[in-house]
Amino acid sequence: MRKHSKKIAFIPLGGEDISIGSYRIWVKDYCQYMKNIGINAKIAPMINDQVIQENDIIVLGKGPPALSARVVEYVSRKYPSKIVGAITPPGDLTTVPYDFVMVGSMEEADSLSFHKNVIVNAHIESLYYDSEPKIHEHKDILKICVHGWTAHLASFAPNLKWALEEYEKEQDFELVVISEKTDLSSWSKGRPNIKNIVSKKWDLNTIKSNIQECDIGIVPGVHDLTDKLEIVDPANGKFETDYIFRFKNKCNNGRALVYFQLGIPTVLDFSPSHLHILGDGDCGYLAHSKHGWLRALRLLKDFNNRNTVSRNALNKVNQEYNPSIWADRYYQALHKIHDDKQQEVNNER
């Protein structure tokens, strides 16, 4: 095993609220993953001189941007040999001289590539990792699950909305929405005209069981803009069949990996991170068009196929998303950044 000589302090500037994913995954879980492989890492509730002096690397969690900027300025001025970075900082903090930023996808890495060092990590949650996967059986009424922030529900429009309405004509199902609130009365854009929509509040104690009660997972997130296609110019590679859509710079595959770990077969939209994890076509289905979503849902009617797809997805997680490997990769990147800065400081003396 490689040596882990550097000391790391995670500082949750926004507080230690375990219901917030940016704290739960990027601070609590990754700190523990590092400790599990012998790295001297800890969570320090606040930043002060003692914490800075005792550690080589400071990782700032999400919090007030002005506070984050002040910490960076203070550390770089008073402790030039230390390195300080931030977890998924806002893209408008272009002048803050972080030694590194940690992001959750290649999409986000590109959007923050003006920073000197960008580290990409995987959304591996201890809450779901190493869970007993669901075994699927025949059901007359299927449960289709969507979990996460309610703002994603607008991405049902227009294609997933249409597909669910068509699917209801041939298969009885419930659409189970697990999110930060149970009142979905304000959901209008993309809301399918179907009989059964069940809403459940995301809760740390029930989220696993609520998801595993379901049979199919869906992950919408991109916004379809294909109807705005105006210029068709085949000579310059612009065709009538082109796709046009938008997605957040922080787009990632975290919601999909939850399904993978719990044994729920998934249908994912065309977010770039989804293309990576479903590139071989065996672990789930990618969909963007109306008929793409409907085709995938039809294929997952068969419980045997649901078991095959979910088993393949779990194998992929076990092969490519081992938390110890990702934690060590994270540490090694930080170690190199620290050594490079130390060399710079020594050269300036």
Side-chain angles (χ1 to χ4, degrees):
M1 180 179 289
R2 288 182 285 191
K3 292 183 178 179
H4 300 128
S5 58
K6 307 300 180 187
K7 295 181 179 180
I8 302 175
F10 290 83
I11 315 294
L13 296 180
E16 300 180 66
D17 186 347
I18 200 170
S19 69
I20 298 176
S22 59
Y23 169 75
R24 189 174 65 252
I25 303 170
W26 300 132
V27 176
K28 177 180 175 294
D29 282 352
Y30 265 89
C31 181
Q32 187 60 52
Y33 298 153
M34 286 185 173
K35 291 167 70 173
N36 290 346
I37 58 174
I39 297 170
N40 191 332
K42 68 178 181 181
I43 298 173
M46 62 180 66
I47 184 77
N48 54 39
D49 284 282
Q50 182 177 348
V51 170
I52 300 170
Q53 291 166 5
E54 291 177 349
N55 293 278
D56 306 291
I57 300 163
I58 306 297
V59 184
L60 302 177
K62 282 189 176 182
L67 175 59
S68 181
R70 287 199 301 272
V71 171
V72 173
E73 189 278 331
Y74 181 78
V75 174
S76 60
R77 174 173 50 83
K78 191 170 182 180
Y79 303 95
S81 64
K82 311 284 185 177
I83 66 169
V84 57
I87 295 168
T88 62
D92 57 355
L93 295 183
T94 58
T95 61
V96 180
Y98 294 113
D99 293 302
F100 64 91
V101 296
M102 195 291 303
V103 301
S105 69
M106 294 305 298
E107 300 94 293
E108 188 175 15
D110 178 79
S111 73
L112 297 178
S113 59
F114 52 84
H115 289 289
K116 184 177 181 180
N117 296 292
V118 182
I119 301 170
V120 180
N121 260 336
H123 285 252
I124 305 172
E125 290 198 56
S126 62
L127 178 60
Y128 309 105
Y129 187 79
D130 209 21
S131 297
E132 188 68 29
K134 175 171 181 167
I135 303 300
H136 295 266
E137 300 176 345
H138 172 76
K139 282 189 176 180
D140 292 325
I141 301 176
L142 297 178
K143 290 187 178 183
I144 299 176
C145 177
V146 57
H147 73 96
W149 188 29
T150 49
H152 293 305
L153 298 177
S155 296
F156 277 56
N159 297 331
L160 178 53
K161 173 185 183 297
W162 178 89
L164 290 171
E165 291 169 352
E166 285 293 303
Y167 194 55
E168 188 182 50
K169 297 175 183 177
E170 57 193 70
Q171 171 64 52
D172 289 332
F173 71 89
E174 289 180 354
L175 176 64
V176 180
V177 180
I178 307 173
S179 66
E180 78 280 5
K181 58 186 179 181
T182 55
D183 182 5
L184 300 179
S185 59
S186 62
W187 179 22
S188 56
K189 183 179 180 181
R191 186 177 186 129
N193 183 21
I194 57 177
K195 292 179 293 186
N196 297 316
I197 299 179
V198 177
S199 101
K200 297 186 177 182
K201 188 173 177 62
W202 193 100
D203 183 273
L204 190 69
N205 297 312
T206 58
I207 183 62
K208 284 179 62 175
S209 60
N210 283 343
I211 291 177
Q212 286 194 310
E213 288 173 358
C214 298
D215 307 288
I216 300 170
I218 55 175
V219 185
V222 301
H223 295 268
D224 185 80
L225 303 175
T226 305
D227 62 346
K228 300 187 182 301
L229 179 66
E230 296 177 354
I231 299 174
V232 176
D233 185 6
N236 289 298
K238 299 177 180 178
F239 299 93
E240 188 176 356
T241 53
D242 289 348
Y243 297 109
I244 306 178
F245 51 84
R246 67 181 295 176
F247 54 89
K248 294 192 308 176
N249 76 306
K250 294 182 182 292
C251 191
N252 60 73
N253 59 23
R255 287 183 292 153
L257 292 179
V258 171
Y259 291 130
F260 280 29
Q261 292 174 85
L262 296 179
I264 307 299
T266 59
V267 190
L268 311 180
D269 71 9
F270 275 16
S271 298
S273 290
H274 293 164
L275 303 181
H276 163 65
I277 58 175
L278 291 188
D280 56 11
D282 293 331
C283 300
Y285 300 98
L286 289 164
H288 179 72
S289 69
K290 299 174 182 178
H291 291 286
W293 282 103
L294 187 56
R295 170 183 172 272
L297 292 171
R298 284 171 171 164
L299 289 169
L300 290 173
K301 280 184 184 181
D302 182 353
F303 75 93
N304 290 306
N305 190 39
R306 295 202 298 274
N307 279 320
T308 298
V309 169
S310 61
R311 184 167 57 248
N312 291 342
L314 182 59
N315 287 338
K316 189 176 190 73
V317 165
N318 291 336
Q319 292 169 10
E320 299 185 14
Y321 292 88
N322 183 306
S324 295
I325 293 174
W326 280 90
D328 184 69
R329 185 183 299 173
Y330 190 6
Y331 172 82
Q332 297 303 329
L334 293 172
H335 190 293
K336 184 179 185 306
I337 294 167
H338 180 275
D339 284 355
D340 289 346
K341 185 170 185 179
Q342 186 71 59
Q343 186 63 49
E344 291 176 6
V345 171
N346 291 338
N347 291 340
E348 292 173 359
R349 289 174 177 169

